[in-house]
Amino acid sequence: MPDQRSVLILGGGSDIGRAAGLAFAAKGWTVRLAGRDLQGLTREADDIRTRTGATVSVHRFDALDTPSFDGFLDGLPALPDAVVSAVGVLGDQGAAERDVAEATRIMRSNFEGPALILGLVANRFEARGSGTIVGISSVAGDRGRATNYIYGSAKAAFTAFLSGLRNRLARKGVHVVTVKPGFVRTRMTAGMALPGLLTVDPDVVGNAIYAAVEKRTDVVYVARAWQPVMFAIRSIPERLFKTMKI
Amino acid sequence: MTRLTGWGRYPDLETELVEPRRLGEVRGAFAEADGVIARGNGRAYGDAAIGVRRTVSIRQLDRMRSFDPETGRITVEAGTLLGDVIAAVLPRGHFPMVVPGTRHVSVGGAIAADIHGKNHHRDGGFGASVERMTLLLPDGSTVETSPTLEPGLFRATVGGMGLTGAILEATIRLKPVESGWIRQRTLPAADLSSVMRALDAGDEATYSVAWIDTLASGRNLGRSLVFLGEHARADELGPKEAERYPALAGPRLSVPLDFPSFTLNRLSVGVFNRIYHRVNARREGAPFTVPAGPYFFPLDGVGAWNRIYGRRGFVQHQCVLPPETAESALGEILERVARRGSSSFLAVLKKLGPSWGMLSFPKPGFTLALDFPVTDDLASFLAGLDEIVVEAGGRLYLAKDSQQSRATFEAGYPDLDGFRSIRRRLDPDRRLRSHLADRLGL
């Protein structure tokens, strides 16, 4: 018996978005991929449909075009059972330190856009009394570091937003999942030297997202080793931390 | 720049590796490059998928486009792995017409090498199941080709080792199956002529292959096990086969590091071969049912098995010999291998039929595949085997090769002139060049 549930994936053309789509489709969910590049999304939708036989649709969505959000949600065939935000950009830390436009783009793409759309989704889920919201945040938000604090601070804000949303909706039948993937082998990290134990492939993240929705997990560190690592990093006194290169 | 090898981990060559993520980026990766070749999943053993200057990995082009369960046609981007195709279509009652010994090959690579499976004697090579493909030509244009559309280009591309252009997308024909299980029969054969007779008798079987104990010599020379297989029908499944389409499992164990070179010697391989022969001979005759995964891809059960041959890597020598000369040539080759002692872990004998491509390896006769760890004296030993192959009117498989001389190659492939003239027309400046192409003057 195929599952009748549907999931909306914002940033559906990203590697993690694609992996999440595949994970849900493999379980028979209907998948709606949303993003800016309809041609790229169609390629992913064809792929997911061919691999799994699931129903897959594509929808135009621009995370920086906040006034369009209400209309976007109203235009969906139905309010989905789950929404995953895989929207985000790593950006260029160095450029963002000098260039307000780049810093703005990073902050808006990683915090403002995802938070505002999920806030609107939350209201609709609250009114219905059910639904699961998944935000892909980042371990980079657990503590600001010199090498990526603009991205990290936006992710920190997003993590706080998801935490507050979870708190608000906990007794309203709506569940909120925060996912911190750690390093993932994706376009975002292509060319970076990644530590093996802390790095996973996108399909691992996709399956972890699906499992978190089914089990109603609150916060997921995908590569488990991240949890103690980030605990240690958060525990370093600021007086010491500020002089470190990590 | 980076260093790349094939699956045999030899030779190890310098090249610039680029990895486009979309079809549109492939053209840019090929444009203005000189000495460039496409690479799939790197399962060719030698130097076939290493560009002289640049290597374009198409592994990220692994999206499936469409599947029609009614007609059994699937369209995929060329970097899609055959194992992923199986995972997608087997639960819906379909299976590729041809699968090789590993599921980790890309569809593009499978076409470029016109790979064969255990059913080549009946169904031909992978190329025979290709309905159409999209090819990026050396001049940057994109063409559709099929057995009826630009048939010359099609015949040059199937088995053409990527030298006519980069395969971007293909539609392949699948066959309907009623289950994901194989009914297997194992027949022991005491010597070379009996294994060849058993394979002849096995022509009726969909799948047939023989495993040779390369250490057996004298009157035991060619001692083998013949494995025959059929896709199990639904009504042949018992309670043990409760899951009609069992999933292809991942590796059960993995080789974490290079084995020291002394690990595989006459003693260890000999013990292994004897035990393997005895265990399997016990199952003689009576058919039993195994999942398709371990039946077709036994070595995929061991991740990174290419490391067991040690740091220097290994060479797989695979020849095909015409029926008339096969028995005496095989006898001579096996005697030399047995005498040499440093043996092949894997020695596979199988019957082949005719094929499509101008440079396709299969032709009617018997094919023997032998693995050899790289040692200082290996090149001269293999040159000796190649003389036997040429003398017998045989040839070597380009997807496995890193050693053969240009003369050996030219003697074995009668359509070579035709291929070279198509190459001259498509790529007058010889921009597409793998190390294999340079070595063999392709």
Side-chain angles (χ1 to χ4, degrees), chain A residues 158-179:
Chain A
F158 189 45
T159 300
F161 181 91
L162 292 168
S163 160
L165 205 58
R166 177 161 44 242
N167 189 201
R168 171 188 143 198
L169 299 170
R171 288 178 215 189
K172 303 283 174 65
V174 179
H175 183 63
V176 178
V177 184
T178 307
V179 179

Side-chain angles (χ1 to χ4, degrees), chain B residues 366-404:
Chain B
F366 289 83
T367 178
L368 177 71
L370 299 158
D371 287 353
F372 299 96
V374 173
T375 50
D376 292 337
D377 65 341
L378 182 62
S380 62
F381 177 76
L382 292 180
L385 296 191
D386 291 354
E387 279 172 28
I388 300 172
V389 172
V390 170
E391 180 71 18
R395 62 191 182 201
L396 299 179
Y397 190 5
L398 293 178
K400 305 285 176 72
D401 181 47
S402 58
Q403 294 286 308
Q404 71 176 309

Side-chain angles (χ1 to χ4, degrees), chain B residues 234-248:
Chain B
D235 62 17
E236 289 171 327
L237 300 182
K240 270 199 324 192
E241 294 88 30
E243 205 177 352
R244 189 162 164 191
Y245 297 106
L248 300 178

Side-chain angles (χ1 to χ4, degrees), chain A residues 13 15 18 37 39-40 42-44 46-53 185-187 190, chain B residues 21-23 60-67 74-77 80 84 87-89 92:
Chain A
D15 291 314
R18 173 202 188 213
D37 170 14
Q39 206 188 342
T42 302
R43 176 179 178 236
E44 303 300 358
D46 287 347
D47 180 56
I48 295 172
R49 198 180 296 119
T50 305
R51 284 175 191 263
T52 63
R185 290 178 199 94
T186 64
R187 264 169 290 175
Chain B
R21 292 195 163 253
R22 291 187 176 193
L23 286 177
Q60 299 295 327
L61 306 178
D62 66 347
R63 305 306 198 262
M64 299 191 190
R65 306 294 303 158
S66 61
F67 169 54
I74 189 165
T75 301
V76 298
E77 293 177 1
T80 307
D84 287 348
V89 302
R92 288 179 265 177

Side-chain angles (χ1 to χ4, degrees), chain B residues 74-117:
Chain B
I74 189 165
T75 301
V76 298
E77 293 177 1
T80 307
L81 299 186
L82 215 44
D84 287 348
V85 171
I86 296 170
V89 302
L90 185 54
R92 288 179 265 177
H94 290 269
F95 198 77
M97 296 293 291
V98 174
V99 297
T102 170
R103 65 183 197 273
H104 301 298
V105 296
S106 68
V107 168
I111 298 170
D114 193 14
I115 59 162
H116 55 271

Side-chain angles (χ1 to χ4, degrees), chain B residues 116-151:
Chain B
H116 55 271
K118 296 177 171 71
N119 57 339
H120 193 276
H121 60 289
R122 280 178 52 142
D123 301 323
F126 195 83
S129 72
V130 176
E131 193 134 289
R132 55 154 285 277
M133 59 183 146
T134 312
L135 193 65
L136 174 67
L137 295 176
D139 69 5
S141 63
T142 306
V143 292
E144 287 283 304
T145 172
S146 76
T148 51
L149 193 66
E150 296 261 10

